Amino acid sequence: MNRKSTLLACLAVCAALICASESAAQSTAAPHLEKHGSATQLIVDGKPFLILGGEVHNSSSSSVEYMKPVWPRLAAMHLNTVLLPIAWETIEPSEGQFDFSNVDGLLEGARANNLKIIVLWFGAWKNTFSSYAPAWVKSNLDRFPRVQLADGRGTERLSPFSTNVRDDDARAFAKLMAHLRDADRDQHTVLMVQVENEVGVIPESRDHSAVAEAAFKSQVPPSLIKYLQAQRATLEPELRTAWESASAKTSGSWQEVFGSAPLTDDFFMAWQYATYIERVAAAGKSEYALPMYANAALIRPNYEPGQYNSGGPLPHSLDIWRAAAPSLDFFSPDIYFNEFAYWAGRYARPGNPLFVPEAQGGAAGAANALYSFGRLAAIGFSPFGIDDRDNAPLDLVGITNAAELPNNDAIRAAYTVLSELAPLILEKQASGGITAALLEGEAQRAARVQLGDYNITLARIGAASTSDNTASKRVAAIFIQTAPNEFLVAGAGEAQITFSTDKPGLPIVGIESIDEEFYVNGEWVPRRRLNGDENSQGQALKLLATDLAQGRIYRVRLYRYR
Ligand code: DGJ
């Protein structure tokens, strides 16, 4: 070998080593978020990951034993991720004495079933209350003060104004994150962490303890004013209106800056919860920097602050949360209401990827999952109470008869198809070429979306029923463009799909062919060609209510004519 070829050989070896070490570094990096095109994606072991999740009931993960038969059931439903609480009282039952045996048992259970975990830190708050704080915290009112009502009575809510509560919560959370780093640094079983759960105050719109009253009368923190000024053009409308209606002041008390309406109390509490949670999240991230988020309980129509969780990361307060809690990567809605598209849309914003940690399951959940991934580039979706449908929160899903409980067979079916489509969905979320349509209730007859050169209309079949407007009447379809004139379509519910175009040239869209396809050994295999009665002699694609359960997707090819 002459000197030149020796040099070239050395360079090739060096390049190979650099590539190998780069890809090793990528796959050993902790789960994190990355922007790909217009989507923000969760990266796990060097690759984008679509969270097909489910959240277990609040107390399930307090017992490793209880979870043993649950894990394989969830894996069989094609979940890839389980959202589960880890409580402050479980890991720090006595002050300063940490016990991670529950955490280790949960990691083991998940790994044995090839599942990932999202940890829900039930620290100082769970649904505004403090039921998961350790007994040594609960019972010491002097050291750990509570939120107070206007008449001076206490509530069982730790005060977000207390530095004692905050610092001990943050210390325990940091210990948990340090433990996860040590126990999980190679396996990446834990993907993300939710910090606290559905915070806020009820039944009044703000804390009336002496310290809270004093803060309410003090100046709005200059850092928040600075944020408002810098982000004025893109502030959420409710916040911008409140600020501008009070003359967009650059200093003053909360009521001077935002007006003396109940919403101002909500903004004030949002700042307080967010600054507190920032300290907790930052302490955790300094040990192990997994993506972290906070979740919100949403608002029923016409409810005022205090009737709902005042101070939570609700759409109208997202700017306040962003300004106060930069260690949180995003904010998430718990969507049990039937207006899924509205609520999900308010969280799928630039700088805030959509992740739905709690949602209705059953047929409604299946449709909402297709919509979230296809239309809103969601990083994940997760029906609540996935381990036991018999405990579903009936009142929240508008059901009074237990026989009508959501049946999670629909989630199993949706996740089976979504797990097959996941690589394509992730690719198209980043590069474009994906959308979805959703019909919410009988009254909504049709929805039109646009993809490539085509308008796609999803429409109900048959006449409107006046009586039935329930979530189970929800229909959705996801559309993935595989070539300029070719789409993969998967649907939840019964509907028909037609295609048209506004593009100049050939104005009429014809269906060249529709093939039903099934995923077999990692490939989409065509079976019947459906060009006759099944699809109105080629005039529309008909979705059947059984499509997801049967694992059927459609490959549609279009052409144009005059
Ligand atoms: C919302 C909470 O975040 C969950 O922990 C659980 O309590 C559900 N509500 C029950 O409906």
Side-chain angles (χ1 to χ4, degrees), residues 55 58 122 126-127 197-198 295 334 336 358 384 393 396:
E55 182 170 326
N58 295 161
F122 284 10
K126 195 271 159 184
N127 296 34
N197 189 79
E198 292 194 350
N295 65 330
D334 293 343
Y336 293 95
E358 293 184 38
F384 180 78
L396 283 175

Side-chain angles (χ1 to χ4, degrees), residues 51-58 60-61 67 71 74 79-86 116-120 122 191-192 194 197 293 295 332 334 355-358 380-387 415:
I51 299 167
L52 303 178
E55 182 170 326
V56 294
H57 283 286
N58 295 161
S60 309
S61 56
M67 285 297 291
W71 296 114
L74 300 185
L79 269 78
N80 57 24
T81 306
V82 180
L83 282 72
L84 51 80
I86 290 182
K116 302 288 187 187
I117 286 176
I118 291 174
V119 165
L120 315 176
F122 284 10
L191 303 181
M192 308 201 289
Q194 177 186 297
N197 189 79
Y293 69 94
N295 65 330
S332 282
D334 293 343
F355 173 62
V356 184
E358 293 184 38
F381 184 85
S382 160
F384 180 78
I386 197 75
D387 51 326
Y415 279 7

Side-chain angles (χ1 to χ4, degrees), residues 112-352:
N113 290 278
N114 204 18
L115 286 161
K116 302 288 187 187
I117 286 176
I118 291 174
V119 165
L120 315 176
W121 172 239
F122 284 10
W125 300 292
K126 195 271 159 184
N127 296 34
T128 80
F129 284 107
S130 300
S131 47
Y132 285 89
W136 58 269
V137 173
K138 279 182 183 162
S139 55
N140 193 337
L141 277 122
D142 292 336
R143 192 169 146 210
F144 303 111
R146 308 302 140 105
V147 168
Q148 274 181 20
L149 302 176
D151 65 8
R153 276 178 301 148
T155 67
E156 290 198 277
R157 298 176 179 92
L158 289 160
S159 168
F161 293 89
S162 162
T163 50
N164 283 351
V165 178
R166 185 195 67 195
D167 293 347
D168 281 4
D169 189 355
R171 193 179 37 77
F173 183 62
K175 287 272 186 204
L176 170 64
M177 293 310 294
H179 183 81
L180 291 178
R181 177 199 58 218
D182 296 343
D184 197 40
R185 81 169 94 225
D186 297 327
Q187 304 211 43
H188 305 150
T189 303
V190 180
L191 303 181
M192 308 201 289
V193 181
Q194 177 186 297
V195 190
E196 315 289 348
N197 189 79
E198 292 194 350
V199 299
V201 285
I202 287 181
E204 292 175 357
S205 50
R206 65 185 158 90
D207 182 1
H208 290 279
S209 62
V211 56
E213 286 296 329
F216 189 61
K217 288 186 191 105
S218 312
Q219 297 280 295
V220 171
S223 57
L224 176 54
I225 301 280
K226 235 190 205 165
Y227 179 98
L228 298 178
Q229 289 174 308
Q231 307 297 328
R232 186 165 180 165
T234 57
L235 293 177
E236 294 296 330
E238 298 90 339
L239 180 70
R240 183 169 173 179
T241 303
W243 182 44
E244 292 184 346
S245 305
S247 313
K249 292 192 189 69
T250 54
S251 65
S253 69
W254 287 86
Q255 288 194 329
E256 284 163 352
V257 172
F258 297 109
S260 52
L263 196 57
T264 295
D265 293 10
D266 187 339
F267 294 150
F268 165 69
M269 291 308 298
W271 176 262
Q272 198 55 37
Y273 279 108
T275 47
Y276 174 118
I277 289 180
E278 169 61 18
R279 290 289 281 265
V280 177
K285 278 199 166 176
S286 71
E287 298 295 343
Y288 188 32
L290 289 181
M292 293 187 188
Y293 69 94
N295 65 330
L298 302 178
I299 312 173
R300 288 174 197 274
N302 306 317
Y303 272 33
E304 290 286 318
Q307 286 177 292
Y308 64 81
N309 300 13
S310 183
L314 282 156
H316 55 249
S317 304
L318 285 183
D319 290 296
I320 294 182
W321 276 80
R322 268 192 211 115
S327 295
L328 295 179
D329 297 276
F330 56 87
F331 303 96
S332 282
D334 293 343
I335 314 180
Y336 293 95
F337 300 145
N338 287 336
E339 297 73 27
F340 185 89
Y342 167 77
W343 288 109
R346 289 217 60 181
Y347 284 82
R349 318 283 298 171
N352 198 73

Side-chain angles (χ1 to χ4, degrees), residues 404-474:
E404 289 173 28
L405 271 169
N407 178 341
N408 276 327
D409 289 352
I411 294 295
R412 176 209 302 265
Y415 279 7
T416 307
V417 169
L418 281 167
S419 59
E420 293 158 356
L421 289 171
L424 210 47
I425 291 175
L426 286 161
E427 180 197 320
K428 300 289 180 178
Q429 280 184 342
S431 65
I434 186 168
T435 191
L438 177 67
L439 302 177
E440 306 194 276
E442 272 283 300
Q444 194 183 353
R445 304 305 296 166
R448 194 163 100 155
V449 292
Q450 208 250 321
L451 193 55
D453 286 352
Y454 295 98
N455 302 317
I456 306 175
T457 302
L458 175 75
R460 291 185 186 279
I461 297 172
S465 133
T466 46
S467 59
D468 196 350
N469 206 19
T470 60
S472 60
K473 292 289 172 185
R474 187 163 291 253

